[in-house]
Amino acid sequence: MQLMRVGEPGRERPVVREDDGTLRELTPLTTDIDGRFLASGGIAATRAALRAGTLPVARETQDLRIGPPVARPQAVLCIGQNYAAHAAESGSPPPQAPIVFFKHPNTVVGPYDDVLLPPGAEQVDWEVELAVVIGKPARYLESPWAAAECIAGYAVSHDVSERRYQLQDSGGQWSKGKSCETFNPLGPWLVPADELPQGPQALRLSSRVNGQPRQDSSTADMIFGVHELIRHLSHYLVLEPGDIVNTGTPQGVALSGRFPYLRDGDVVELEIERLGTQRQRVRAHRQVVS
């Protein structure tokens, strides 16, 4: 099963997608898919309701927007240069410890929403990433196995980056280049962790721009694996249910110098095995005059 949210921004409602593609309403169980739902056993309750046949088929969903699968994350944490080949194309040696930065939580949008170019931005880049969604508080974890117990599930994440903001205007910290409006499409769905029997380190992930291949790699190539990342982070901050951790991107981005940066009208597609596909059109930000 996969957990989804459908509807216009700010008015999404929760649904569950069965393996045959049928969508069923989750509103008998919860008003939304958020940290409280995940921490209170919402995934197990959803499975039980599906087995019992108590969730009605979702109504009028064919033309509805698909929103991000998690509502209102308190934090979006990101790991930099977590694939050796990407570190190399960025001109850096592989890190000895995880590089951590933050995105503003309001960057999270739906998987098919437009990506908006900031006014004057000329170095906007794509980055397909495996997102980890936290399901239980994680603090001072002793082992990667303990970290695994704190993970609710996984999703496709697009860590959009403005490289000039990130590297030249940053003052030494990357978040300026990561936190512009619409810079984190997420979804289309949240896949519970136990629905990936092979675990998170054997997933192919890829991206395309205007139909042309850009990234093509595997989460097996991460320098720091998912469970180790969650364990590591828990010693520096408390991860809360509903928080999102973007785990890094593989090689094949515009920063490498091999491809042009994104421009108005470009189409970006991102895919992770078993987690679905995203598609965004890049649009120039239109200044609103009141």
Side-chain angles (χ1 to χ4, degrees), residues 29-49:
L29 295 181
T30 184
T31 58
D32 216 337
I33 299 169
D34 54 15
R36 178 177 296 183
F37 170 77
L38 297 173
S40 63
I43 290 176
T46 300
R47 284 204 182 98

Side-chain angles (χ1 to χ4, degrees), residues 243-278:
D243 286 354
I244 295 165
V245 179
N246 291 332
T247 56
T249 199
Q251 67 175 329
V253 298
L255 182 63
S256 68
R258 294 186 287 134
F259 310 109
Y261 287 106
L262 295 173
R263 294 290 182 263
D264 185 19
D266 285 346
V267 174
V268 185
E269 298 169 283
L270 308 98
E271 183 174 4
I272 300 181
E273 178 185 2
R274 301 197 63 175
L275 301 185
T277 301
Q278 298 186 357

Side-chain angles (χ1 to χ4, degrees), residues 71-109:
R72 300 177 297 278
Q74 294 186 100
V76 180
L77 294 95
C78 305
I79 306 301
Q81 298 181 355
N82 196 30
Y83 290 73
H86 175 57
E89 73 176 355
S90 304
S92 302
Q96 299 301 304
I99 297 170
V100 181
F101 60 92
F102 289 81
K103 295 177 84 88
H104 196 297
N106 67 12
T107 59
V108 176
V109 295

Side-chain angles (χ1 to χ4, degrees), residues 86 89-90 122-128 158-159 161-163 166-167 207 209 213-215 249-263 266:
H86 175 57
E89 73 176 355
S90 304
E122 296 183 349
Q123 297 181 18
V124 175
D125 210 344
W126 59 87
E127 294 185 278
V128 61
H158 188 181
D159 176 20
S161 307
E162 211 296 341
R163 299 301 191 184
Q166 175 188 351
L167 301 174
S207 65
V209 177
R214 292 295 186 258
Q215 298 171 280
T249 199
Q251 67 175 329
V253 298
L255 182 63
S256 68
R258 294 186 287 134
F259 310 109
Y261 287 106
L262 295 173
R263 294 290 182 263
D266 285 346

Side-chain angles (χ1 to χ4, degrees), residues 9 65-68 108-115 182 185 279-281:
R65 164 185 174 268
I66 297 176
V108 176
V109 295
Y112 308 111
D113 292 346
D114 290 346
V115 168
T182 72
R279 185 182 188 274
Q280 298 105 35
R281 185 170 294 276

Side-chain angles (χ1 to χ4, degrees), residues 142-150 227:
E142 295 184 356
S143 70
W145 296 274
E149 295 298 314
C150 296
H227 298 158

